[in-house]
Amino acid sequence: MSFRISYLILALLLAACASAPTQQQSRPEQPIVNQADDVITEARFSQSLTELLSQISKSQEIPLQSLEIGFLDVKTIPSIRKLVLPPSGTFKKNWLVYRKRFIEPVRLKAGKAFWEENQAFLSQVEKDSGVPVEIIVAIIGIETIYGRQTGNFRVKDVLSTLAFSYPDTPNKAAREQLFKDQLKELILMCWTEAGGTLPSKNKAVDVNSARFSACLNQNSSYAGAIGLPQFMPSSIRNFAVDGDSDGKIDLKQSPKDAIASVGNFMKQHGWQPGMPISFPVQITGIPAAKELADGEPQLKHTVQELVEKGILTKQQGDLQAGGVAPQSKAFIVDLPYPDKDGSDQVQYFVGLNNFLTIVQYNRSYFYAQSVAEFAEALGYKNQSVVPAENTVKTLNTKTPTNSNEKPKHKKSSSKKKTKAN
């Protein structure tokens, strides 16, 4: 790595010291200017990466040489820098187009097949996590069509590019820091997978260098997400689990690992078993919803308040009628789209706790509502499911149950639901 940096710096100095070209030379010389810019960018990239590797080596007691070998062939990917750019100022978000892209026959058919193939295990994960089978199947289907589209970039190239060569945007510094953190998480994840310990504390460390490199070189999306459920390295380290009990976590080849990991992620992020995800806003309540929509995914309004404003019906504020407790918290979800004349339109929903949980998986209202509707297409009932033993207790209680109560989700009959749709 140090040799590479020295070479690049030398090239940079030579480019800087070159005499100005003559007019005759200037026409073919334009690419040389671009090459010099590339050298500058590459030198900064390599220096920043080396500094990070050095920091990780010291803090985690990983041999620096092992890290340098692992990143010896790392490269920036210009196309990724373009992919992460924000849309142009003239771009209009289109909920209807987004929805159509994911809730369509091919994915739904693949979802039913995936459910059928993993029926028993999906039911077990639902029982253990409280997350409905349909939600887990919907997430994996929207993310990768059950492993068909997991990305074709090397993850170390992706994260290094975005950590040290992020495009010039207003949030450049914050985004680079995010990907630096993810790059560190990737290194720690791969080190432990290869047999290393963190930190080693001068103990003998038997690390499989080939396995370490293979982990760094595995495919990912253009944002660094990995496997069937598209987990970032930090999510893999914190929430992925060994679903098939083979002693390792493999989100690329093991459907059981992917299923169990999605269930665990949702559970750890506050999924409330037996509770609905979102409710459509009543037509008469659209003006009130428009005033409350602020784009912030925060549970700030009570359902009772939204019922009083005409945004929700009384039944949607009734736990026993398939709704939620009146004191449950919610927020307004706005999904914009242009109509056939190009005029701006918005479809409004009331996002509940479980909607916010899906947003933690992918920070997009479009995404979360698509998961909800994909799940409904698979047979998910978007309503509360209160165990019978709690019904009498709730009906005899003057004050409705609060939003913290988590009744158990009714066990799904996965085979029947799959075939019914």
Side-chain angles (χ1 to χ4, degrees):
M1 182 65 69
S2 59
F3 173 80
R4 184 183 180 195
I5 292 175
S6 299
Y7 173 80
L8 290 170
I9 293 176
L10 176 60
L12 175 60
L13 292 173
L14 290 175
C17 295
S19 58
T22 64
Q23 185 64 32
Q24 184 179 2
Q25 295 173 321
S26 62
R27 285 193 294 271
E29 289 287 331
Q30 183 61 36
I32 292 180
V33 175
N34 293 335
Q35 289 172 9
D37 290 343
D38 289 344
V39 169
I40 294 173
T41 301
E42 187 70 11
R44 290 173 178 168
F45 171 86
S46 296
Q47 182 177 1
S48 298
L49 177 57
T50 299
E51 290 174 355
L52 180 66
L53 296 182
S54 179
Q55 293 171 5
I56 294 174
S57 174
K58 292 178 181 178
S59 64
Q60 302 298 325
E61 299 182 18
I62 299 175
L64 181 58
Q65 184 179 12
S66 297
L67 298 180
E68 290 180 336
I69 291 174
F71 283 85
L72 189 62
D73 62 342
V74 69
K75 61 183 179 180
T76 56
I77 306 178
S79 61
I80 288 177
R81 301 178 75 247
K82 295 179 181 179
L83 289 171
V84 298
L85 283 172
S88 65
T90 58
F91 174 81
K92 287 188 176 182
K93 292 183 178 181
N94 194 324
W95 157 239
L96 300 184
V97 170
Y98 185 98
R99 181 189 185 281
K100 185 177 180 180
R101 175 185 173 191
F102 295 108
I103 306 175
E104 46 83 26
V106 171
R107 286 181 198 261
L108 289 172
K109 182 179 179 180
K112 294 171 185 177
F114 182 81
W115 188 343
E116 191 73 25
E117 292 169 4
N118 300 280
Q119 183 178 142
F121 188 72
L122 279 162
S123 296
Q124 183 60 49
V125 171
E126 175 179 340
K127 181 180 179 181
D128 295 340
S129 67
V131 182
V133 168
E134 300 94 329
I135 298 299
I136 297 173
V137 173
I139 287 174
I140 298 176
I142 289 176
E143 289 291 347
T144 63
I145 318 183
Y146 311 100
R148 297 183 193 177
Q149 300 174 350
T150 57
N152 53 9
F153 300 100
R154 287 195 314 182
V155 64
K156 74 180 181 186
D157 294 336
V158 171
L159 296 179
S160 296
T161 297
L162 298 178
F164 306 117
S165 187
Y166 199 86
D168 291 328
T169 60
N171 62 346
K172 175 182 172 73
R175 297 296 287 176
E176 284 193 336
Q177 185 57 54
L178 182 152
F179 287 107
K180 286 176 186 176
D181 293 341
Q182 291 300 326
L183 183 57
K184 178 180 178 180
E185 294 285 348
L186 173 70
I187 292 170
L188 301 184
M189 178 186 80
C190 292
W191 185 253
T192 55
E193 282 189 15
T197 56
L198 299 172
S200 64
K201 295 183 178 178
N202 298 321
K203 295 180 181 179
V205 179
D206 183 17
V207 173
N208 186 317
S209 58
R211 188 182 300 173
F212 180 56
S213 293
C215 180
L216 294 174
N217 293 336
Q218 65 185 299
N219 284 356
S220 76
S221 72
Y222 69 83
I226 296 170
L228 276 72
Q230 293 290 275
F231 273 22
M232 295 296 286
S234 62
S235 290
I236 294 176
R237 295 192 72 215
N238 293 318
F239 306 108
V241 293
D242 179 13
D244 56 17
S245 302
D246 66 350
K248 62 180 180 179
I249 296 173
D250 184 358
L251 300 182
K252 302 181 294 299
Q253 302 295 330
S254 173
K256 288 186 176 181
D257 286 2
I259 290 167
S261 296
V262 171
N264 186 56
F265 182 99
M266 300 296 282
K267 178 182 179 180
Q268 297 302 323
H269 282 80
W271 181 270
Q272 292 183 345
M275 291 291 99
I277 298 170
S278 63
F279 292 133
V281 168
Q282 298 300 300
I283 294 178
T284 55
I286 289 178
K290 184 176 181 180
E291 290 183 5
L292 296 180
D294 57 11
E296 296 181 0
Q298 298 178 8
L299 300 170
K300 57 180 64 176
H301 308 290
T302 66
V303 169
Q304 181 61 41
E305 175 189 349
L306 301 182
V307 170
E308 292 172 354
K309 290 179 178 293
I311 294 173
L312 294 178
T313 66
K314 290 183 179 179
Q315 289 75 17
Q316 290 166 333
D318 184 346
L319 189 65
Q320 302 307 317
V324 295
Q327 296 310 309
S328 297
K329 291 295 187 70
F331 62 103
I332 303 300
V333 174
D334 52 334
L335 306 177
Y337 64 94
D339 62 19
K340 61 181 181 179
D341 298 322
S343 300
D344 295 335
Q345 304 293 334
V346 180
Q347 188 172 4
Y348 292 98
F349 289 84
V350 171
L352 304 168
N353 178 86
N354 286 344
F355 187 96
L356 186 60
T357 299
I358 301 174
V359 171
Q360 301 307 308
Y361 197 102
N362 184 314
R363 297 180 184 278
S364 163
Y365 287 175
F366 282 13
Y367 177 87
Q369 187 59 29
S370 291
V371 168
E373 295 190 22
F374 193 111
E376 288 187 58
L378 293 173
Y380 172 70
K381 305 302 181 185
N382 186 45
Q383 59 189 31
S384 62
V385 181
V386 183
E389 60 268 24
N390 289 348
T391 302
V392 175
K393 179 180 178 180
T394 303
L395 289 174
N396 291 335
T397 303
K398 185 174 182 180
T399 303
T401 55
N402 61 38
S403 61
N404 292 324
E405 184 175 350
K406 301 182 180 181
K408 183 179 179 182
H409 190 281
K410 182 169 63 179
K411 185 176 182 180
S412 64
S413 176
S414 57
K415 188 171 183 179
K416 289 183 179 179
K417 288 183 180 179
T418 301
K419 290 186 175 180
N421 292 280

